[in-house]
Amino acid sequence: MASLLHLLLLLSLSLLVLASAAPSPSPSPTPADEGAYIGVNIGTDLSDMPHPTQVVALLKAQQIRHIRLYDADPGMLIALANTKIKVIISVPNDQLLGIGQSNSTAANWVKRNVIAHYPATTITAISVGSEVLTSLSNAAPILVSAIKNVHAALLSANLDRLIKVSTPLSTSLILDPFPPSQAFFNRSLNSVIVPLLSFLQSTNSYLMMNVYPYYDYMQSNGVIPLDYALFKPIPPNKEAVDANTLVRYSNAFDAMVDATYFAMAFLNFTNVPVLITESGWPSKGETNEPDATLDNANTYNSNLIRHVLNKTGTPKRPGIAVSTYIYELYNEDTKPGSLSEKNWGLFNANGEPAYILRLTNSGSVLANDTTNQTYCTAREGADPKMLQAALDWACGPGKIDCSPIKQGEACYEPDNVIAHANYAFDTYYHQTGNNPDACDFNGVASITTTDPSTCVFAGSRGDGRNGASVNITAPSANSTTSSGIQNELYYSRGMWSIFAAIVLNVANVL
């Protein structure tokens, strides 16, 4: 009798475990970043700037998890809340003077733009100004003061270990950049650069650099080959060789990154990491910019993404890739300057891609075909009982409308757990804006580019662009509609099927 009670106790515990094994309604926390990543800059010089919620929908659909803003727009920061998208916000150049001269001004800025939004919005860094030493030289004397004042405000809020502070520099500050081993910063600015690097080193922050092989190629008068600038394969005899180190360079990007490391080492700073805050290629230009083309922009950005995510590193630091933010998300049609200045974007304002990046086998980030081309389906070989449990969760606590897979409805056939799970998983995935964290279901689901539908799945069709208009309404938690009743029945059926299996196992033991 005692053994029977023991088995019944185990049976009860098993049911509790199974009930709790259903996927959580909230995605699991994103782990700390491991290795390098690709981010995207978001400029706002557009005549028809999308609403922040549309921007965030595009980011989710493209699985962009790191962005940099050129300000701290509250609408964007609110829209980014609870998305786990990591954000660099910026102090615009025109606010540097006040922040550099006043601790209280810096504290108010941090209170308004950081504390008001963090941690719901995952702010990871603050860039204080942008290319100040080359574009706003009269502000150079207060740059480091502004950075320190912002950091002091973070320190007061106990956020200094969670949010980095730095400032993006232009590579034009590096003189004699090739060979990289001879590179050094413009000595006339050492009075600013040395205390800046000292601050970055003491706070475990990174040196932000804007790296543009396009401009170096354009200004080289034919010395830099186009293929070298575009990351295209080049024969060994065409590679650039550093005569001092005998290191060979097959692309301009790596040479410029290594020149940055050598320039810091020249000033005795050897442990400050580099973050590339801008890099890209224009897709259209004036007649005197013949290489600003769609194909070249596609080639550069596709190769750049692969190069970073493959963790190739640079010849000076092999295997240590440098995280990079692509310039930029949208073409900015109202940006001042030449035609090329308006055409660095991966997308147009309406969410249409400027071009389709060539990223086969390079992960899911920025696979920017906007036809809702990714799906969430049952993983091949998944345990049917686990599939059933996940399906029951999606149709129950997950609040997916599963009425189309009721008997006699459009998606009922084929009547098996895999087909029904495909419907529920994919609907839930698209309802969350193609969030990859939403396609796991305790390991029984995976993202695919193969359309699993045997009928029109909700959220996988229509004219939505980049997941920006997913037309699904989840029933409320207290819904009393017939579909809600069906969901409860489906959930109960699944749990009872698992209960029956456990009872059979107990019977076999007895």
Side-chain angles (χ1 to χ4, degrees), residues 216-462:
D216 288 87
Y217 162 73
M218 287 291 293
Q219 295 162 10
S220 73
N221 294 319
V223 173
I224 296 177
L226 181 60
D227 287 353
Y228 181 76
L230 291 172
F231 288 97
K232 282 188 173 182
I234 58 176
N237 65 332
K238 297 289 186 181
E239 292 177 340
V241 180
D242 186 323
N244 300 315
T245 62
L246 300 183
V247 168
R248 309 179 76 89
Y249 288 88
S250 60
N251 65 81
F253 179 88
D254 282 351
M256 295 163 80
V257 171
D258 275 358
T260 302
Y261 283 123
F262 277 108
M264 286 195 288
F266 187 84
L267 296 174
N268 297 315
F269 294 93
T270 57
N271 58 354
V272 176
V274 172
L275 177 71
I276 305 304
T277 38
E278 291 181 16
S279 193
W281 197 282
S283 60
K284 189 184 296 184
E286 309 285 0
T287 54
N288 63 340
E289 297 179 293
D291 295 300
T293 66
L294 283 171
D295 186 62
N296 284 343
N298 193 342
T299 298
Y300 180 82
N301 284 322
S302 296
N303 287 340
L304 172 63
I305 292 169
R306 271 193 295 270
H307 186 67
V308 171
L309 298 184
N310 288 347
K311 301 179 182 177
T312 308
T314 67
K316 178 173 171 57
R317 297 195 174 193
I320 305 176
V322 178
S323 296
T324 300
Y325 288 75
I326 292 175
Y327 185 81
E328 57 184 334
L329 187 65
Y330 294 113
N331 282 327
E332 297 184 89
D333 62 319
T334 61
K335 193 175 184 69
S338 66
L339 183 62
S340 65
E341 285 296 319
K342 307 173 192 295
N343 287 280
W344 290 79
L346 299 171
F347 295 88
N348 296 312
N350 63 1
E352 293 280 0
Y355 44 86
I356 304 298
L357 290 163
R358 297 186 280 263
L359 295 175
T360 304
N361 300 322
S362 296
S364 55
V365 65
L366 278 169
N368 64 354
D369 181 350
T370 58
T371 57
N372 283 326
Q373 82 285 10
T374 56
Y375 310 89
C376 181
T377 63
R379 189 181 294 276
E380 186 176 355
D383 185 330
K385 295 173 185 175
M386 293 292 289
L387 277 179
Q388 184 67 59
L391 170 60
D392 294 335
W393 180 87
C395 293
K399 300 180 182 178
I400 293 301
D401 179 10
C402 288
S403 57
I405 52 177
K406 289 170 55 179
Q407 186 171 4
E409 297 298 331
C411 297
Y412 177 71
E413 297 290 348
D415 179 21
N416 60 63
V417 69
I418 293 175
H420 289 183
N422 283 346
Y423 174 88
F425 294 174
D426 193 57
T427 302
Y428 184 77
Y429 171 63
H430 285 287
Q431 178 175 292
T432 61
N434 295 20
N435 184 343
D437 293 333
C439 185
D440 181 67
F441 294 93
N442 283 346
V444 299
S446 62
I447 295 173
T448 179
T449 56
T450 303
D451 187 353
S453 59
T454 55
C455 60
V456 177
F457 283 12
S460 295
R461 298 292 181 271

Side-chain angles (χ1 to χ4, degrees), residues 2 34 67 77 84 120 123 127 148 159 294 301 304 381 397 454 469:
E34 296 180 4
I67 64 168
L77 294 176
K84 298 183 181 177
I123 299 169
S127 81
K148 289 182 176 180
L159 294 175
L294 283 171
N301 284 322
L304 172 63
T454 55
S469 60

Side-chain angles (χ1 to χ4, degrees), residues 131-135 168-177 183-190 193 196 207-209 263:
E131 299 191 351
V132 173
L133 301 184
T134 47
S135 65
L169 303 182
S170 166
T171 53
S172 64
L173 290 174
I174 300 175
L175 304 183
D176 200 11
F184 58 93
F185 289 108
N186 187 332
R187 290 185 177 91
S188 68
L189 293 168
N190 279 359
I193 293 174
L196 170 63
L207 178 63
M208 295 176 169
M209 295 296 297

